[in-house]
Amino acid sequence: MPELPEVEVVRRGLADHVAGRRIARATITGARVARRHEPGPVDLAARLLGSTVTAARRRGKYLWLELDRADALVIHLGMSGQLLVEPADAPLEKHCHARFEFADGDPQLRFVDQRTFGGLALSPVGPDGIPVVVAHIAPDPFEPAFDQRAVVLAMKRRDSAVKRALLDQSLVSGIGNIYADEALWRAQVHGERLCSSLTKPALSRILEQARQVMTEALGHGGTSFDALYVNVNGASGFFDRSLHVYGREGTPCDRCGAPIRREQFMNRSSYSCPRCQPRPRRHGG
DNA sequence: CTTTTCTCCTGTATGC
DNA sequence: TGCATACAGGAGAAAA
């Protein structure tokens, strides 16, 4: 559920409340949250002791805390991960997997994750400033390193559905199921159209719409459907009120009035307008 | 190499 | 009321 705008909201919260502070104690429980850290959660916690957080950074849906040491603490929220800034005496959440206490006292930072698709890892940082465990992810549309022309060319060469390409983080990062559907509605393209069947300007428009809808969502504090996605203060964004297709099966299209349809694609729900986004005829063309 | 499918997880909603 | 099932879906491993 957290996609680029939601992760960026969390990153800003970390920058405001955690940057510049020294970790006095880390408590990481359960092997799963630290599954990307081979030596395990206890070792991970021990290695963080005494480190000062120098910055909070992001690429796509990946977050990391830059530290005053070689490695960065990489965090992925997965489906349901939350980073919460709270006083030490706040009741412990049922699915709290990590707690960070700082040398200057309250507030502390907690990683809470119901479905445990998220996780923490320590990673060296490459010369480009990107942690090596994040290096396989392409730049997101908000980065200076994002080269839209190159992404369009890479998509054009692909023999797969355009929605699949939008969700492929090695092509362009940060886009998830919600914003992919919203971008495709705005561009008036069905997600099962093959990339290779779309013109370069059409592919370019889709990417533009993706960036645009994520910009707007960020301005609204992100999208939240159930209380799972929240910022570091536990508050939900309200961009869900501005969605045109996602989660709106049967309601009239905001452009033409046709009832929004829901289809299965890649074992997930896809929402689109049957009139504005006609299905491809045969092989996606 | 490219592309697709499977798997991980738990709370909530729905159906019989 | 209870039990079973579907669903939410990011990302990496595995398979095709």
Side-chain angles (χ1 to χ4, degrees), chain A residues 12 32 47 65 130 132 153 177 196 203 249:
Chain A
R12 292 178 182 181
R32 205 175 146 70
R47 286 172 189 274
L65 294 178
I130 305 293
V132 298
L153 288 174
N177 201 40
S196 50
L203 292 167
E249 181 182 17

Side-chain angles (χ1 to χ4, degrees), chain A residues 4-19 56-58 63 85 142 214-215 217-221 231-233:
Chain A
L4 188 153
E6 293 76 39
V7 179
E8 174 60 15
V9 168
V10 173
R11 188 201 66 77
R12 292 178 182 181
L14 292 173
D16 289 344
H17 295 102
V18 175
R57 307 207 183 277
R58 182 189 58 73
L63 274 173
V85 172
F142 296 153
M214 291 195 293
T215 300
L218 186 53
H220 288 74
N231 66 16
V232 296
N233 299 309

Side-chain angles (χ1 to χ4, degrees), chain A residues 29-124:
Chain A
T29 49
R32 205 175 146 70
V33 70
R35 64 192 179 281
R36 303 280 169 212
H37 184 77
E38 289 296 335
V42 174
D43 180 86
L44 176 55
R47 286 172 189 274
L48 290 166
L49 271 193
S51 293
T52 296
V53 177
T54 53
R57 307 207 183 277
R58 182 189 58 73
R59 165 169 278 186
K61 304 169 195 171
Y62 275 91
L63 274 173
W64 62 94
L65 294 178
E66 190 183 271
L67 306 172
D68 61 344
R69 45 168 290 170
D71 292 348
L73 176 62
V74 176
I75 304 166
H76 200 290
L77 301 177
M79 269 292 293
S80 54
Q82 305 174 334
L83 285 166
L84 302 173
V85 172
E86 295 180 308
D89 60 3
L92 197 61
E93 292 80 2
K94 181 177 177 185
H95 299 291
C96 178
H97 302 297
R99 271 181 300 158
F100 301 93
E101 295 160 79
F102 296 94
D104 59 0
D106 268 354
Q108 62 179 222
L109 176 68
R110 296 181 184 176
F111 181 73
V112 178
D113 190 3
Q114 175 191 103
R115 296 173 199 163
T116 62
F117 280 26
L120 311 175
L122 268 179
S123 170

Side-chain angles (χ1 to χ4, degrees), chain A residues 183-190 193 206 255 275-278:
Chain A
L184 289 164
W185 179 83
R186 290 177 180 224
Q188 303 189 52
V189 173
H190 192 283
R193 292 285 303 275
I206 293 167
R255 195 163 39 219
R275 192 177 299 163
C276 303
Q277 300 165 268

Side-chain angles (χ1 to χ4, degrees), chain A residues 132-230:
Chain A
V132 298
V133 299
V134 183
H136 64 296
I137 296 297
D140 66 58
F142 296 153
E143 289 183 70
F146 181 72
D147 182 347
Q148 179 157 310
R149 187 174 306 182
V151 174
V152 165
L153 288 174
M155 289 176 80
K156 186 71 183 160
R157 285 194 298 268
R158 285 226 168 177
D159 230 7
S160 69
V162 63
K163 180 169 177 180
R164 194 184 286 277
L166 288 178
L167 296 175
D168 185 341
Q169 305 297 300
S170 69
L171 208 47
V172 51
S173 67
I175 304 170
N177 201 40
I178 296 174
Y179 297 116
D181 277 3
E182 292 297 313
L184 289 164
W185 179 83
R186 290 177 180 224
Q188 303 189 52
V189 173
H190 192 283
E192 290 180 50
R193 292 285 303 275
L194 292 184
C195 288
S196 50
S197 80
L198 293 163
T199 64
K200 281 184 275 188
L203 292 167
S204 202
R205 276 197 298 276
I206 293 167
L207 288 171
E208 281 298 332
Q209 294 296 347
R211 170 159 45 192
Q212 179 64 28
V213 68
M214 291 195 293
T215 300
E216 292 174 25
L218 186 53
H220 288 74
T223 299
S224 181
F225 275 98
D226 44 28
L228 281 181
Y229 161 65
V230 291

